[in-house]
Amino acid sequence: MIYRPATPADASALAKLGADTFVAAFGHLYRAADLEAFLAEVHDTQAVAAEIAGRECTHCLVEHDGALIAFCKLRYPSHYTAYSQARRPLELAQLYALPGHTGAGIGARLMDWTLGQAKVGGHDAIVLSVYAENYGAQRFYQRYGFGKIADITFRVGEHLDPELLYELTL
């Protein structure tokens, strides 16, 4: 497997990977119109290209046999700064792998990359949101020392999901 930063040429494949992994994990929770609106906003090729080209987001991609299978996206400044006591919290905005590629250590490698990026960037915390009923992801983050700091919501179209905001102080 190859772990590498995203380039502008990756925008289309990363948008597709983001949509595919989100739908695989959560698509069953939403009305078609809500899911379609969310995917058009968040996993649109132009939106992803703007993130790659911009200064706020950093992506780490995972390739296997020439295809993208997982990714991690960091954001600074974080959307959740108001909830944190940290001076410079880094947001772990997305960490997803295609079905069939979970449980193979990819998430751990991406989390190690995240921790390294936080330290190099002088961040004093990492914040992330996790779906309130995604118990596997919650256990994964708790193993790294993340703890809940707030109850929040996450919008998918017109639907609001209950989310937990987690933080790891560095």
Side-chain angles (χ1 to χ4, degrees), residues 16-108:
K16 182 177 181 345
L17 175 62
D20 290 349
T21 55
F22 186 85
V23 169
F26 305 112
H28 66 282
L29 298 173
Y30 309 110
R31 294 180 314 125
D34 289 329
L35 183 59
E36 184 178 312
F38 175 78
L39 296 176
E41 177 185 349
V42 176
H43 297 292
D44 171 76
T45 298
Q46 278 92 9
V48 172
E51 286 181 349
I52 292 170
R55 297 176 45 88
E56 290 185 3
C57 294
T58 304
H59 300 79
C60 183
L61 308 181
V62 183
E63 281 185 38
H64 181 66
D65 293 334
L68 295 182
I69 60 164
F71 73 101
C72 181
K73 178 172 81 174
L74 305 180
R75 178 181 291 118
Y76 182 79
S78 169
H79 289 160
Y80 304 113
T81 301
Y83 295 94
S84 175
Q85 298 298 311
R87 291 176 295 104
R88 292 180 40 85
L90 178 67
E91 180 181 340
L92 173 53
Q94 295 170 335
L95 193 160
Y96 288 109
L98 287 171
H101 295 281
T102 59
I106 294 170

Side-chain angles (χ1 to χ4, degrees), residues 142-155:
Q142 289 166 1
R143 282 195 301 269
Y144 283 89
F146 283 86
K148 179 184 159 188
I149 61 169
D151 292 304
I152 60 172
T153 57
F154 182 81
R155 181 177 298 278

